[in-house]
Amino acid sequence: MERWADTILRVAYAWTGNMPDAQDVCQTALLKLLTRPERFPDPDRQRFWILRVTVNCCKDMKKSAWVQRRVSLDAAADAAATMPEPGESPVLEAVLALPEKYRKAIYLRYYEEYGVDEIAALLGCRTAQVSTWLYRGKAKLRTMLGGSNGQECFSD
């Protein structure tokens, strides 16, 4: 551990771009090294193996759902600050009364102005599914808002 921790940490930091993630990768790589049943015949093979494991751990972290869906605290604070208040409009109140999947899709599409592909990526589903949720959510809103009023609010 004393021999490889610094090297692993530097490689992981170069891949992840932040120290907490690099420390997680370092811990994972060191655990793999310590639990490896066989020993290396020479130091060069050990160095190659540990660097390869470190890079693979970084790749695994980058493609994990946790990393892909997280945002910084500043971005979360900005998003919370810009959300309109429910009492401002009957349309927003109706949107907030929808089932969760329709509410998320409609809010992201019409209030945050994301495209269907972007919404699908944010929600972790297919584009066709988001389109269906938007269609069904708008139909429910038309019913809730009394026909023509709902049609005027959500035109594409």
Side-chain angles (χ1 to χ4, degrees), residues 55-154:
V55 169
N56 288 341
C57 288
C58 290
K59 287 179 180 180
D60 290 345
M61 178 176 279
K62 284 193 176 266
K63 65 183 175 185
S64 72
W66 170 254
V67 171
Q68 291 178 357
R69 292 187 178 142
R70 71 180 179 188
V71 295
S72 69
L73 289 175
D74 295 333
D78 292 342
T82 60
M83 184 164 173
E85 292 296 320
E88 291 179 8
S89 105
V91 176
L92 180 59
E93 287 181 24
V95 169
L96 295 176
L98 289 171
E100 183 180 4
K101 58 188 174 185
Y102 303 140
R103 179 179 63 236
K104 286 180 180 179
I106 287 179
Y107 184 82
L108 289 171
R109 176 73 179 104
Y110 296 103
Y111 287 91
E112 297 296 326
E113 298 178 354
Y114 283 105
V116 175
D117 294 334
E118 295 169 315
I119 296 170
L122 286 169
L123 298 179
C125 60
R126 295 184 329 265
T127 304
Q129 194 171 26
V130 171
S131 296
T132 301
W133 290 345
L134 288 170
Y135 177 80
R136 291 179 182 168
K138 288 190 295 186
K140 285 185 177 286
L141 283 173
R142 281 187 201 101
T143 303
M144 292 167 69
L145 296 172
S148 64
N149 188 17
Q151 289 173 347
E152 294 168 4
C153 294
F154 294 100

Side-chain angles (χ1 to χ4, degrees), residues 1 4-34 49-64 66-67 70:
M1 188 174 108
W4 295 110
D6 187 51
T7 303
I8 294 170
L9 191 60
R10 284 185 283 125
V11 170
Y13 183 76
W15 271 79
T16 61
N18 65 55
M19 192 53 73
D21 286 346
Q23 290 170 339
D24 289 345
V25 168
C26 182
Q27 180 179 4
T28 303
L30 286 172
L31 281 173
K32 288 184 180 188
L33 177 64
L34 292 173
W49 185 86
I50 196 69
L51 291 177
R52 187 76 252 160
V53 167
T54 302
V55 169
N56 288 341
C57 288
C58 290
K59 287 179 180 180
D60 290 345
M61 178 176 279
K62 284 193 176 266
K63 65 183 175 185
S64 72
W66 170 254
V67 171
R70 71 180 179 188

